Amino acid sequence: MSSLKILVIPGSLRTGSLNARLAATAACEFAQAGADVTCISLGDFPLPIYDGDLQTKSGVPKNAVNLKRMIGVHHGVLIVTPEYNSSVPPLVKNTIDWLTRVQDAQEPRGQVFRERAFAIAAASESRLGGTRSLAALRLILTACHATVIPNQLALSFAGQAYDDMDRLKHPADVESLSALVQQLIDVSQHMM
Ligand SMILES: Cc1cc2nc3c(=O)[nH]c(=O)nc-3n(C[C@H](O)[C@H](O)[C@H](O)COP(=O)(O)O)c2cc1C
């Protein structure tokens, strides 16, 4: 079990991000379940807005290649995304767009999406908890031929979802996160 590697990617760079907080909570859950978990910041992989002319001129940015390789050494990936105007924020979409352009030696483009399991979660101050962003992200990842597990978590009223010990306080949220974590572990192990 210790060899199962899970990557957690928060889709926000904002100081005090609700999604980074949920990502950290999820990372703890994965660790408690016995996975070898890494939580990154997309701030460590800054990318320009995708532009075909830029790709033609300069190739795919090194940060996209590095992030693709980082994903490639993990068996499962959790993306925790904000919701912007009923969809995924540009940071998340732009990152995925660049990842789909990475061409590593002796590997078909997009292989990194096909070879591992993905889970998705969102946190928002709204009642819907970013549900529409999850629908959009599921569509995008599925179009990349990723296996996206059915369990997901949309954390409603996310600013008030934690107790004084920084734990999720609503049983339904705890259960949803736990089910997501266990399913990503199970499906990732199956795909190893
Ligand atoms: C441009 C923009 C659009 C937004 N649209 C939505 C939305 O459609 N649904 C929603 O629940 N929250 C929306 N929000 C609020 C975000 O969910 C909120 O700012 C959240 O805290 C962002 O995630 P973060 O805390 O991880 O940075 C929007 C925020 C911004 C800046």
mmCIF file of all heavy atoms in Angstrom, residues 69-96:
data_model
loop_
_atom_site.group_PDB
_atom_site.id
_atom_site.type_symbol
_atom_site.label_atom_id
_atom_site.label_comp_id
_atom_site.label_asym_id
_atom_site.label_seq_id
_atom_site.Cartn_x
_atom_site.Cartn_y
_atom_site.Cartn_z
ATOM 1 N N ARG A 69 5.374 15.126 -16.085
ATOM 2 C CA ARG A 69 6.223 14.052 -15.528
ATOM 3 C C ARG A 69 5.921 13.828 -14.054
ATOM 4 O O ARG A 69 5.965 12.697 -13.563
ATOM 5 C CB ARG A 69 7.704 14.386 -15.758
ATOM 6 C CG ARG A 69 8.060 14.267 -17.234
ATOM 7 C CD ARG A 69 9.487 14.636 -17.529
ATOM 8 N NE ARG A 69 9.719 14.580 -18.979
ATOM 9 C CZ ARG A 69 10.756 15.120 -19.592
ATOM 10 N NH1 ARG A 69 11.693 15.750 -18.902
ATOM 11 N NH2 ARG A 69 10.874 15.032 -20.899
ATOM 12 N N MET A 70 5.600 14.903 -13.341
ATOM 13 C CA MET A 70 5.193 14.778 -11.928
ATOM 14 C C MET A 70 3.932 13.923 -11.834
ATOM 15 O O MET A 70 3.838 13.013 -11.012
ATOM 16 C CB MET A 70 4.960 16.176 -11.351
ATOM 17 C CG MET A 70 4.258 16.215 -10.024
ATOM 18 S SD MET A 70 5.310 15.694 -8.679
ATOM 19 C CE MET A 70 6.093 17.233 -8.244
ATOM 20 N N ILE A 71 2.952 14.196 -12.688
ATOM 21 C CA ILE A 71 1.729 13.381 -12.708
ATOM 22 C C ILE A 71 2.094 11.934 -13.064
ATOM 23 O O ILE A 71 1.566 10.985 -12.476
ATOM 24 C CB ILE A 71 0.706 13.964 -13.720
ATOM 25 C CG1 ILE A 71 0.197 15.325 -13.218
ATOM 26 C CG2 ILE A 71 -0.456 12.994 -13.948
ATOM 27 C CD1 ILE A 71 -0.638 16.095 -14.226
ATOM 28 N N GLY A 72 3.032 11.798 -13.989
ATOM 29 C CA GLY A 72 3.394 10.475 -14.496
ATOM 30 C C GLY A 72 4.016 9.543 -13.463
ATOM 31 O O GLY A 72 4.022 8.337 -13.664
ATOM 32 N N VAL A 73 4.547 10.093 -12.381
ATOM 33 C CA VAL A 73 5.124 9.213 -11.352
ATOM 34 C C VAL A 73 4.124 8.946 -10.227
ATOM 35 O O VAL A 73 4.494 8.416 -9.177
ATOM 36 C CB VAL A 73 6.461 9.766 -10.777
ATOM 37 C CG1 VAL A 73 7.520 9.825 -11.868
ATOM 38 C CG2 VAL A 73 6.278 11.124 -10.108
ATOM 39 N N HIS A 74 2.860 9.324 -10.442
ATOM 40 C CA HIS A 74 1.809 9.034 -9.458
ATOM 41 C C HIS A 74 0.764 8.097 -10.081
ATOM 42 O O HIS A 74 0.568 8.087 -11.286
ATOM 43 C CB HIS A 74 1.152 10.331 -8.975
ATOM 44 C CG HIS A 74 2.078 11.142 -8.099
ATOM 45 N ND1 HIS A 74 3.075 11.944 -8.630
ATOM 46 C CD2 HIS A 74 2.167 11.243 -6.751
ATOM 47 C CE1 HIS A 74 3.745 12.513 -7.628
ATOM 48 N NE2 HIS A 74 3.215 12.106 -6.480
ATOM 49 N N HIS A 75 0.112 7.333 -9.212
ATOM 50 C CA HIS A 75 -0.892 6.360 -9.695
ATOM 51 C C HIS A 75 -2.288 6.962 -9.742
ATOM 52 O O HIS A 75 -3.150 6.492 -10.481
ATOM 53 C CB HIS A 75 -0.902 5.132 -8.782
ATOM 54 C CG HIS A 75 0.423 4.477 -8.667
ATOM 55 N ND1 HIS A 75 1.224 4.565 -7.552
ATOM 56 C CD2 HIS A 75 1.116 3.720 -9.565
ATOM 57 C CE1 HIS A 75 2.349 3.905 -7.752
ATOM 58 N NE2 HIS A 75 2.307 3.379 -8.959
ATOM 59 N N GLY A 76 -2.527 7.967 -8.933
ATOM 60 C CA GLY A 76 -3.837 8.615 -8.906
ATOM 61 C C GLY A 76 -3.669 10.099 -8.669
ATOM 62 O O GLY A 76 -2.677 10.534 -8.072
ATOM 63 N N VAL A 77 -4.631 10.865 -9.174
ATOM 64 C CA VAL A 77 -4.555 12.327 -9.082
ATOM 65 C C VAL A 77 -5.895 12.877 -8.608
ATOM 66 O O VAL A 77 -6.950 12.480 -9.123
ATOM 67 C CB VAL A 77 -4.227 12.944 -10.473
ATOM 68 C CG1 VAL A 77 -4.160 14.464 -10.384
ATOM 69 C CG2 VAL A 77 -2.926 12.380 -11.030
ATOM 70 N N LEU A 78 -5.846 13.763 -7.619
ATOM 71 C CA LEU A 78 -7.040 14.503 -7.194
ATOM 72 C C LEU A 78 -6.855 15.965 -7.570
ATOM 73 O O LEU A 78 -5.873 16.592 -7.163
ATOM 74 C CB LEU A 78 -7.244 14.387 -5.679
ATOM 75 C CG LEU A 78 -8.295 15.330 -5.080
ATOM 76 C CD1 LEU A 78 -9.697 15.035 -5.615
ATOM 77 C CD2 LEU A 78 -8.280 15.275 -3.552
ATOM 78 N N ILE A 79 -7.807 16.500 -8.335
ATOM 79 C CA ILE A 79 -7.813 17.932 -8.659
ATOM 80 C C ILE A 79 -8.931 18.582 -7.855
ATOM 81 O O ILE A 79 -10.079 18.129 -7.888
ATOM 82 C CB ILE A 79 -8.031 18.166 -10.173
ATOM 83 C CG1 ILE A 79 -6.935 17.457 -10.988
ATOM 84 C CG2 ILE A 79 -8.047 19.663 -10.485
ATOM 85 C CD1 ILE A 79 -7.127 17.552 -12.494
ATOM 86 N N VAL A 80 -8.579 19.631 -7.114
ATOM 87 C CA VAL A 80 -9.560 20.343 -6.282
ATOM 88 C C VAL A 80 -9.749 21.732 -6.889
ATOM 89 O O VAL A 80 -8.861 22.589 -6.785
ATOM 90 C CB VAL A 80 -9.095 20.433 -4.818
ATOM 91 C CG1 VAL A 80 -10.217 20.993 -3.958
ATOM 92 C CG2 VAL A 80 -8.664 19.066 -4.297
ATOM 93 N N THR A 81 -10.877 21.922 -7.531
ATOM 94 C CA THR A 81 -11.035 23.114 -8.365
ATOM 95 C C THR A 81 -12.043 24.125 -7.819
ATOM 96 O O THR A 81 -13.125 23.741 -7.350
ATOM 97 C CB THR A 81 -11.474 22.722 -9.792
ATOM 98 O OG1 THR A 81 -11.598 23.910 -10.580
ATOM 99 C CG2 THR A 81 -12.817 22.006 -9.802
ATOM 100 N N PRO A 82 -11.739 25.411 -7.892
ATOM 101 C CA PRO A 82 -12.778 26.423 -7.662
ATOM 102 C C PRO A 82 -13.803 26.411 -8.801
ATOM 103 O O PRO A 82 -13.590 25.748 -9.833
ATOM 104 C CB PRO A 82 -12.006 27.749 -7.683
ATOM 105 C CG PRO A 82 -10.567 27.392 -7.535
ATOM 106 C CD PRO A 82 -10.427 26.025 -8.148
ATOM 107 N N GLU A 83 -14.882 27.127 -8.608
ATOM 108 C CA GLU A 83 -15.868 27.347 -9.683
ATOM 109 C C GLU A 83 -15.873 28.826 -10.023
ATOM 110 O O GLU A 83 -16.077 29.665 -9.147
ATOM 111 C CB GLU A 83 -17.269 26.914 -9.224
ATOM 112 C CG GLU A 83 -18.335 27.159 -10.290
ATOM 113 C CD GLU A 83 -19.671 26.530 -9.898
ATOM 114 O OE1 GLU A 83 -19.787 25.303 -9.999
ATOM 115 O OE2 GLU A 83 -20.565 27.288 -9.481
ATOM 116 N N TYR A 84 -15.619 29.116 -11.283
ATOM 117 C CA TYR A 84 -15.695 30.498 -11.780
ATOM 118 C C TYR A 84 -16.781 30.550 -12.848
ATOM 119 O O TYR A 84 -16.685 29.852 -13.866
ATOM 120 C CB TYR A 84 -14.370 30.932 -12.419
ATOM 121 C CG TYR A 84 -13.272 31.351 -11.466
ATOM 122 C CD1 TYR A 84 -13.364 31.202 -10.083
ATOM 123 C CD2 TYR A 84 -12.097 31.915 -11.968
ATOM 124 C CE1 TYR A 84 -12.342 31.595 -9.245
ATOM 125 C CE2 TYR A 84 -11.060 32.308 -11.130
ATOM 126 C CZ TYR A 84 -11.191 32.139 -9.763
ATOM 127 O OH TYR A 84 -10.168 32.524 -8.945
ATOM 128 N N ASN A 85 -17.785 31.362 -12.607
ATOM 129 C CA ASN A 85 -18.852 31.537 -13.596
ATOM 130 C C ASN A 85 -19.338 30.197 -14.141
ATOM 131 O O ASN A 85 -19.395 29.956 -15.346
ATOM 132 C CB ASN A 85 -18.395 32.485 -14.715
ATOM 133 C CG ASN A 85 -18.138 33.880 -14.176
ATOM 134 O OD1 ASN A 85 -18.962 34.425 -13.441
ATOM 135 N ND2 ASN A 85 -16.993 34.456 -14.487
ATOM 136 N N SER A 86 -19.637 29.318 -13.203
ATOM 137 C CA SER A 86 -20.246 28.008 -13.486
ATOM 138 C C SER A 86 -19.325 27.033 -14.195
ATOM 139 O O SER A 86 -19.796 26.031 -14.758
ATOM 140 C CB SER A 86 -21.540 28.159 -14.313
ATOM 141 O OG SER A 86 -22.412 29.052 -13.688
ATOM 142 N N SER A 87 -18.025 27.301 -14.192
ATOM 143 C CA SER A 87 -17.115 26.371 -14.864
ATOM 144 C C SER A 87 -15.773 26.349 -14.128
ATOM 145 O O SER A 87 -15.653 26.896 -13.036
ATOM 146 C CB SER A 87 -16.944 26.795 -16.333
ATOM 147 O OG SER A 87 -16.256 25.803 -17.053
ATOM 148 N N VAL A 88 -14.785 25.706 -14.750
ATOM 149 C CA VAL A 88 -13.457 25.664 -14.133
ATOM 150 C C VAL A 88 -12.745 26.995 -14.359
ATOM 151 O O VAL A 88 -12.949 27.651 -15.377
ATOM 152 C CB VAL A 88 -12.587 24.508 -14.696
ATOM 153 C CG1 VAL A 88 -13.135 23.166 -14.262
ATOM 154 C CG2 VAL A 88 -12.482 24.585 -16.203
ATOM 155 N N PRO A 89 -11.886 27.408 -13.425
ATOM 156 C CA PRO A 89 -11.135 28.651 -13.629
ATOM 157 C C PRO A 89 -10.076 28.485 -14.709
ATOM 158 O O PRO A 89 -9.654 27.359 -15.011
ATOM 159 C CB PRO A 89 -10.495 28.905 -12.261
ATOM 160 C CG PRO A 89 -10.515 27.615 -11.553
ATOM 161 C CD PRO A 89 -11.597 26.765 -12.147
ATOM 162 N N PRO A 90 -9.626 29.595 -15.276
ATOM 163 C CA PRO A 90 -8.623 29.515 -16.347
ATOM 164 C C PRO A 90 -7.354 28.792 -15.925
ATOM 165 O O PRO A 90 -6.739 28.112 -16.745
ATOM 166 C CB PRO A 90 -8.330 30.988 -16.692
ATOM 167 C CG PRO A 90 -9.133 31.828 -15.784
ATOM 168 C CD PRO A 90 -10.095 30.971 -15.028
ATOM 169 N N LEU A 91 -6.959 28.909 -14.680
ATOM 170 C CA LEU A 91 -5.732 28.221 -14.213
ATOM 171 C C LEU A 91 -5.828 26.720 -14.463
ATOM 172 O O LEU A 91 -4.889 26.089 -14.955
ATOM 173 C CB LEU A 91 -5.510 28.497 -12.716
ATOM 174 C CG LEU A 91 -4.337 27.740 -12.078
ATOM 175 C CD1 LEU A 91 -2.998 28.239 -12.631
ATOM 176 C CD2 LEU A 91 -4.368 27.880 -10.553
ATOM 177 N N VAL A 92 -6.981 26.150 -14.131
ATOM 178 C CA VAL A 92 -7.158 24.699 -14.267
ATOM 179 C C VAL A 92 -7.238 24.313 -15.746
ATOM 180 O O VAL A 92 -6.556 23.394 -16.204
ATOM 181 C CB VAL A 92 -8.415 24.234 -13.500
ATOM 182 C CG1 VAL A 92 -8.714 22.766 -13.786
ATOM 183 C CG2 VAL A 92 -8.214 24.453 -11.997
ATOM 184 N N LYS A 93 -8.048 25.042 -16.502
ATOM 185 C CA LYS A 93 -8.226 24.704 -17.926
ATOM 186 C C LYS A 93 -6.928 24.892 -18.703
ATOM 187 O O LYS A 93 -6.545 24.060 -19.534
ATOM 188 C CB LYS A 93 -9.351 25.572 -18.515
ATOM 189 C CG LYS A 93 -9.674 25.278 -19.976
ATOM 190 C CD LYS A 93 -10.159 23.849 -20.191
ATOM 191 C CE LYS A 93 -10.858 23.654 -21.525
ATOM 192 N NZ LYS A 93 -10.024 23.898 -22.689
ATOM 193 N N ASN A 94 -6.250 26.010 -18.422
ATOM 194 C CA ASN A 94 -5.002 26.299 -19.142
ATOM 195 C C ASN A 94 -3.926 25.246 -18.840
ATOM 196 O O ASN A 94 -3.194 24.817 -19.734
ATOM 197 C CB ASN A 94 -4.508 27.695 -18.742
ATOM 198 C CG ASN A 94 -3.359 28.167 -19.606
ATOM 199 O OD1 ASN A 94 -3.459 28.219 -20.825
ATOM 200 N ND2 ASN A 94 -2.241 28.498 -18.984
ATOM 201 N N THR A 95 -3.879 24.819 -17.579
ATOM 202 C CA THR A 95 -2.908 23.790 -17.201
ATOM 203 C C THR A 95 -3.194 22.493 -17.959
ATOM 204 O O THR A 95 -2.287 21.866 -18.521
ATOM 205 C CB THR A 95 -2.954 23.551 -15.676
ATOM 206 O OG1 THR A 95 -2.623 24.773 -15.005
ATOM 207 C CG2 THR A 95 -1.981 22.472 -15.257
ATOM 208 N N ILE A 96 -4.470 22.110 -17.995
ATOM 209 C CA ILE A 96 -4.823 20.871 -18.712
ATOM 210 C C ILE A 96 -4.544 21.036 -20.209
ATOM 211 O O ILE A 96 -4.021 20.116 -20.853
ATOM 212 C CB ILE A 96 -6.299 20.496 -18.447
ATOM 213 C CG1 ILE A 96 -6.484 20.114 -16.973
ATOM 214 C CG2 ILE A 96 -6.739 19.345 -19.358
ATOM 215 C CD1 ILE A 96 -7.920 19.912 -16.539
#
